[in-house]
């Protein structure tokens, strides 16, 4: 049954990989990895000439597998690389479920995670979240299931946590820290705290070394990543994202479907301390992770993806006793839900950019690398248009805040401009067409 769950997850991920979805982050990471391969700059990331010309939002290491994939099979392999990370996560969750419960628990955990819609859609896109979730879970796994502390387990935890931090900074440590504290509290064994703390501190060393060695306190990596990304997100000086304390819970409420109602079953099992230790451990682990996710002032929904494996485990632990009794009927119901998710992934609505639909013919007629002006939208919709223009159309988007009567200061070669429909049309420009809140202009 576990193999069947993993195979089903592979099918759903494959279907999601074949979808055409205009994702701004996926397009950005694709272009950055493309530039890494083209320029041989494995430590110096760049997006486009006037949008993140020196990209410092994330460390370069999470994109190294992407660059290798491009060199080996081309950019068509990038969604499948993400899907592979996601499938490894499903397999790891299934193994954790078996160790925390029984064989049926592992199979259910794999089935739940592998048919959670947002895990699949995000996991089949070229994002940094799939490898982050895998290595962050791998770092926490021995802490959750090991019968005793050992050198081998500590090495595995530390290596996995190190890779998670190199991919996406402090978020890679949340599951490990939460697991160590949960084990210490539940078992009243404080020795788990220094054991986990040592792994956490060692895991930070390579990232700190990269930022400080040759990239000191005054470098653009320090100012761009540490100050403008990490510290700004922590204290809330960045204005993108949500500042609501309960945003992680709201994100789970809107994203962990169709399995969210079944989380209550796991929580119900966790109320009984002696008979359901695993459910209590996973529930406490999740609570601690969610508290950690509430701490930064700036919050984004995909940060909660690191708790999706724990939610799948909690659902599986709650469903296992029921499957042992009614059995086939409940299992059949689970498969119906899974098939419904597969159908939604295959035929559900897809995010499309105007550049890839209504204006595609005009943009595709331009020579490669031509500059296209893109107006900043009040809703930030321009990020998806920029990503499509750069990643799919292989043009050069140039972000602007407005179009004046004079074209002075704009790239002389730019013949097309994609601007919000509310913008006035200067005399130097004329409208080509309008669609979905955007206006394509030529000069």
């Amino acid at each position: 049954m576990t193999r069947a769950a993993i195979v089903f997850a592979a099918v759903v991920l494959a279907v999601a990989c074949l979808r055409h979805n205009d994702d701004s982050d996926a397009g950005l990471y694709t272009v950055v990895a493309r530039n890494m391969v083209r320029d041989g700059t494995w430590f110096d990331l760049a997006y486009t000439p006037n949008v993140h010309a020196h990209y410092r939002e994330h460390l370069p290491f999470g994109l190294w597998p992407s660059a290798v994939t491009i060199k080996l099979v081309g950019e068509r392999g990038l969604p499948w690389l993400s899907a592979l990370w996601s499938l490894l996560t499903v397999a790891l969750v299934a193994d954790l479920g078996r160790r925390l419960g029984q064989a049926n628990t592992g199979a259910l955990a794999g089935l739940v995670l592998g048919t959670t819609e947002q895990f699949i859609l995000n996991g089949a896109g070229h994002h940094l979240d799939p490898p982050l979730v895998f290595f962050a879970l791998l770092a926490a796994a021995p802490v959750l299931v090991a019968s005793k502390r050992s050198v081998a387990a500590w090495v595995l935890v530390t290596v996995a946590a190190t890779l998670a931090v190199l991919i996406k900074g402090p978020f890679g440590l949340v599951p490990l820290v939460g697991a160590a504290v949960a084990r210490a509290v539940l078992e009243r064994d404080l020795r788990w705290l220094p054991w986990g703390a040592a792994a956490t501190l060692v895991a930070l060393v390579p990232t700190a070394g990269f930022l400080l060695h040759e990239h000191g306190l005054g470098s653009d990596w320090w100012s761009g990543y540490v100050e403008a990304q990490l510290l700004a997100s922590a204290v809330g000086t960045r204005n993108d994202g949500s500042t609501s304390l309960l945003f992680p819970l709201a994100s789970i409420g809107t994203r962990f479907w169709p399995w969210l109602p079944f989380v209550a079953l796991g929580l119900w099992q966790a109320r009984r301390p002696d008979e359901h230790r695993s459910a209590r451990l996973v529930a406490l682990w999740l609570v601690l992770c969610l508290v950690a996710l509430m701490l930064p002032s700036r919050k984004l929904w995909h940060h909660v993806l690191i708790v999706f494996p724990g939610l799948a485990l909690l659902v599986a632990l709650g469903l296992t006793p029921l499957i042992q009794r009614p059995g086939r009927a409940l299992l059949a119901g689970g498969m119906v839900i899974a098939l419904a998710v597969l159908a939604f992934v295959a035929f559900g609505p897809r995010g499309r950019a105007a550049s890839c639909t209504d204006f595609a013919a005009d943009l595709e007629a331009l020579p490669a690398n031509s500059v296209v002006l893109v107006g900043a939208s009040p809703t930030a919709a321009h990020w998806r248009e920029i990503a499509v223009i750069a990643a799919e159309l292989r043009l050069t988007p140039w972000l602007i805040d407005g179009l004046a009567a004079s074209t002075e200061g704009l790239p002389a070669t730019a013949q097309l401009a994609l601007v919000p429909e509310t913008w006035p049309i200067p005399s130097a420009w004329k409208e080509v067409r309008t669609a979905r809140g955007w206006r394509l202009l030529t000069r």
Side-chain angles (χ1 to χ4, degrees):
M1 185 174 171
T2 300
R3 291 181 180 177
I6 295 174
V7 169
F8 195 89
V11 170
V12 182
L13 284 164
V15 170
C17 283
L18 296 173
R19 290 170 51 107
H20 186 102
N21 185 36
D22 296 326
D23 185 294
S24 58
D25 283 349
L28 183 153
Y29 298 140
T30 296
V31 174
V32 172
R34 176 195 298 164
N35 294 340
M36 291 171 68
V37 174
R38 181 195 65 196
D39 303 330
T41 52
W42 293 80
F43 293 96
D44 186 15
L45 307 185
Y47 189 21
T48 70
N50 95 316
V51 181
H52 295 304
H54 296 282
Y55 183 72
R56 301 295 183 259
E57 294 278 301
H58 295 292
L59 297 171
F61 308 104
L63 290 169
W64 281 8
S66 302
V68 172
T69 299
I70 292 176
K71 289 178 71 72
L72 293 177
V73 299
E75 293 178 18
R76 67 183 181 277
L78 294 177
W80 301 95
L81 172 66
S82 293
L84 176 60
W85 291 121
S86 299
L87 191 61
L88 287 172
T89 304
V90 170
L92 179 56
V93 163
D95 183 63
L96 280 173
R98 178 183 63 81
R99 293 173 184 270
L100 289 168
Q102 49 190 272
N104 285 345
T105 309
L108 280 170
L111 181 67
V112 170
L113 187 63
T115 54
T116 297
E117 180 232 350
Q118 284 299 319
F119 174 82
I120 291 297
L121 294 182
N122 188 278
H126 182 221
H127 298 121
L128 292 175
D129 303 300
L132 167 72
V133 173
F134 172 70
F135 285 113
L137 179 63
L138 184 61
V143 186
L144 293 172
V145 300
S147 58
K148 61 180 181 179
R149 291 166 294 276
S150 67
V151 173
W154 187 88
V155 170
L156 174 60
V157 166
T158 304
V159 171
T162 299
L163 294 173
V165 173
L166 288 171
I167 292 168
K168 220 168 184 183
F171 288 104
L173 296 173
V174 170
L176 163 59
V177 173
V181 175
R183 227 24 228 268
V185 171
L186 197 63
E187 298 177 0
R188 295 182 176 87
D189 184 356
L190 296 182
R191 289 174 296 177
W192 283 105
L193 297 181
W195 195 85
T200 299
L201 292 175
V202 173
L204 290 169
V205 171
T207 295
F210 168 74
L211 292 170
L212 294 175
H213 180 64
E214 296 183 359
H215 304 284
L217 300 182
S219 72
D220 61 351
W221 269 111
W222 187 268
S223 60
Y225 181 69
V226 177
E227 295 178 356
Q229 172 72 305
L230 298 185
L231 295 179
S233 296
V235 302
T237 54
R238 289 188 60 150
N239 57 14
D240 56 327
S242 173
T243 58
S244 170
L245 181 67
L246 299 181
F247 183 76
L249 294 177
S251 298
I252 292 173
T254 56
R255 306 279 183 173
F256 192 70
W257 288 92
W259 297 102
L260 180 66
F262 297 93
V263 173
L265 292 176
L267 294 175
W268 179 257
Q269 298 293 347
R271 85 194 192 283
R272 302 164 68 181
D274 297 326
E275 298 180 35
H276 298 282
R277 173 194 171 277
S278 292
R280 286 175 61 82
L281 175 63
V282 173
L284 180 57
W285 175 45
L286 283 170
V287 169
L288 293 168
C289 289
L290 286 169
V291 169
L293 292 176
M294 292 176 184
L295 296 179
S297 179
R298 170 181 175 256
K299 304 173 184 68
L300 300 172
W301 86 262
H302 52 82
H303 293 165
V304 303
L305 283 166
I306 59 175
V307 302
F308 275 31
L311 290 168
L313 287 169
L314 191 61
V315 169
L317 288 166
L319 284 173
T320 299
L322 300 180
I323 281 190
Q324 290 174 339
R325 290 193 284 271
R328 295 180 181 177
L330 188 61
L331 184 60
M335 288 307 300
V336 169
I337 293 175
L339 291 171
V341 172
L342 175 60
F344 180 84
V345 169
F347 305 110
R350 307 175 186 183
R352 302 299 301 273
S355 301
C356 195
T357 54
D358 303 86
F359 306 129
D362 302 280
L363 294 169
E364 288 170 352
L366 295 174
N369 300 317
S370 295
V371 176
V372 177
L373 306 181
V374 180
S377 163
T379 62
H382 54 275
W383 292 118
R384 184 162 64 173
E385 304 299 332
I386 286 174
V388 168
I389 291 171
E392 295 189 30
L393 302 176
R394 293 180 178 269
L395 302 172
T396 303
W398 196 275
L399 183 62
I400 58 175
D401 293 324
L403 276 176
S406 169
T407 58
E408 183 179 354
L410 298 178
T413 58
Q415 297 302 312
L416 290 180
L418 183 66
V419 301
E421 192 175 9
T422 54
W423 283 23
I425 304 177
S427 58
W429 297 85
K430 64 178 181 179
E431 181 179 309
V432 177
R433 67 187 83 253
T434 301
R436 297 164 54 193
W438 289 95
R439 179 175 282 133
L440 187 66
L441 306 177
T442 186
R443 65 175 178 180

